[in-house]
Amino acid sequence: MHMTAGSHGPRLIPGPSVTISDVAEAAGVSRQTVSNVLNAPDRVRAETRERVNRAVSDLGYHPNRAARSLRASSPRMVGCRILPVHAETVASIQDRFLHALAEAGQACDHHVLLFTAPDADEETERCTALWRAGAVSAVVLYDVTPHDPRPRQLEAAGVPFAAFGRTATGAAGYSWADVDNTAGTASAVDHLVAAGHRRIGFLGWPEGSSVGDSRAHGWLAAMDRHGLLAQSHRLDVRGDDTMSSGTRLMVELLDRPGPPTAVVAATDALGVGALHAVRHHGLRPGEDVAVVGFDDTPAAAAVGLSSVRQPIEEVGRLIMAELLRLVGRNADEDVDEAAESLHRLLVPELVVRASSAPPRSAPGG
């Protein structure tokens, strides 16, 4: 590109490699604004559109037709492994997530392709095969564990992906959105303390799960912050994430000397099981013993269980938007490649119901 003099001042002569960055610089706007003018002009103010269009004309910019052709032939599908549902679970978190992901994709003409896999290694193999075969544009990782091998494997294979959750190390290198599980159980403890409880138990999973460990840490940190850990240190019990496990663990706590007046459960399945145990002991949930779950499933609402609600819908929207950005970066030069990867930690919200009313006895009683 070079300039030549003319009767109306300098005129830009297009060179062989005018880029969207050249247009953005000439118009004094971002690359994304130029992309919006070219692809979605209704999003841009008239004055800005005129300035960008003038720069496009002056520079002789022509969008990359090959890239646009590639984008047009994209499968417009994102892949996600669907997990099996345990017979005793009441959780519907992946269902909510997939629904949110599908809704966000539908708004931009993308859809979700579900598949099954017996383990993590098989999942990454299928993700890679689907992507290389052109069946999907990108994939989603769900239920990421602290030392999950999947992000590293997909990065090595060059597969575009975003994750719900993050690993203990290396998370800065890929896109993810996650929920602050530690803050969730801490808010449950704060709520119970404010209601007058002092002996607050915890029903959790065995150690080794990113989500389970984070929720246990939230209970522990909040109890310590309130100065209640010493009188509750024996009230932390763990088991499988099932209703029967929640019942068994709660019975164990209620049969101990100095039983808890309240418990925080790591999931609604454990929480619903705890409610069964409370009633079996002739006690009234919320009045004699308070119970708070986690995930705010439909079952929690049905039985009046207070529960911590994850912003799953927002996670789905964020991840779909990030997948589209990653796919666009690979297929269309109009996408701003300098944009930072998605790294978002969202705070959950406690939904209070009848199961966590103030205790009948005096605090510490």
Side-chain angles (χ1 to χ4, degrees):
M1 178 174 59
H2 63 279
M3 292 188 296
T4 182
S7 58
H8 299 289
R11 182 167 61 88
L12 295 170
I13 303 299
S17 57
V18 178
T19 69
I20 196 171
S21 296
D22 296 327
V23 175
E25 182 178 358
V29 298
S30 69
R31 289 178 49 172
Q32 185 59 53
T33 298
V34 177
S35 177
N36 287 340
V37 170
L38 296 172
N39 300 301
D42 57 299
R43 298 181 184 177
V44 185
R45 292 183 304 174
E47 179 185 347
T48 304
R49 287 202 308 270
E50 182 180 350
R51 192 163 72 248
V52 170
N53 285 327
R54 187 165 56 247
V56 168
S57 178
D58 288 344
L59 295 175
Y61 172 69
H62 297 287
N64 188 325
R65 302 299 174 188
R68 290 183 183 278
S69 176
L70 177 60
R71 184 176 63 180
S73 64
S74 164
R76 296 186 180 275
M77 299 284 287
V78 297
C80 187
R81 174 193 180 194
I82 187 168
L83 300 179
V85 178
H86 194 281
E88 287 194 50
T89 188
V90 299
S92 59
I93 296 303
Q94 192 182 32
D95 289 347
R96 283 177 55 200
F97 172 67
L98 291 173
H99 185 80
L101 196 68
E103 278 200 335
Q106 187 174 2
C108 47
D109 196 25
H110 278 67
H111 307 281
V112 180
L113 174 67
L114 301 180
F115 64 92
T116 61
D119 54 42
D121 288 338
E122 183 68 21
E123 178 182 353
T124 53
E125 288 181 12
R126 294 187 183 180
C127 285
T128 302
L130 286 169
W131 180 69
R132 289 177 176 169
V136 298
S137 302
V139 298
V140 181
L141 294 183
Y142 181 83
D143 195 28
V144 176
T145 60
H147 306 291
D148 204 311
R150 294 175 296 169
R152 175 178 45 80
Q153 292 169 343
L154 291 180
E155 284 182 297
V159 180
F161 74 95
F164 181 4
R166 64 201 192 280
T167 49
T169 60
Y174 59 89
S175 300
W176 56 265
D178 202 359
V179 173
D180 193 338
N181 291 286
T182 298
T185 44
S187 70
V189 171
D190 292 342
H191 161 66
L192 293 170
V193 170
H197 295 280
R198 295 297 178 265
R199 290 195 307 277
I200 303 172
F202 179 72
L203 311 182
W205 306 339
E207 293 184 358
S209 157
S210 178
V211 172
D213 291 353
S214 294
R215 294 180 184 182
H217 179 70
W219 172 84
L220 184 70
M223 293 294 288
D224 189 38
R225 173 162 45 82
H226 288 290
L228 301 176
L229 201 55
Q231 55 190 298
S232 301
H233 72 282
R234 295 184 62 252
L235 301 181
D236 176 0
V237 291
R238 310 295 179 91
D240 295 336
D241 183 22
T242 62
M243 288 183 287
S244 61
S245 179
T247 299
R248 176 181 58 79
L249 294 173
M250 192 65 188
V251 166
E252 179 183 333
L253 290 179
L254 292 174
D255 285 343
R256 291 181 180 180
T261 64
V263 295
V264 176
T267 65
D268 284 347
L270 292 169
V272 171
L275 289 179
H276 290 325
V278 170
R279 294 190 178 97
H280 182 73
H281 272 63
L283 302 172
R284 289 173 291 187
E287 295 188 42
D288 300 315
V289 180
V291 180
V292 179
F294 205 119
D295 292 331
D296 194 35
T297 59
V303 300
L305 174 66
S306 296
S307 187
V308 179
R309 181 178 180 83
Q310 300 190 54
I312 297 298
E313 290 72 22
E314 179 65 11
V315 173
R317 288 191 293 268
L318 287 170
I319 286 183
M320 180 58 75
E322 179 66 0
L323 291 174
L324 295 181
R325 186 188 74 83
L326 294 173
V327 171
R329 185 184 65 186
N330 289 341
D332 190 342
E333 66 173 7
D334 287 350
V335 173
D336 187 355
E337 296 187 25
E340 294 184 0
S341 296
L342 174 68
H343 296 144
R344 286 287 299 277
L345 186 62
L346 304 175
V347 179
E349 175 187 9
L350 176 63
V351 179
V352 178
R353 299 189 178 94
S355 72
S356 60
R360 298 179 65 196
S361 59

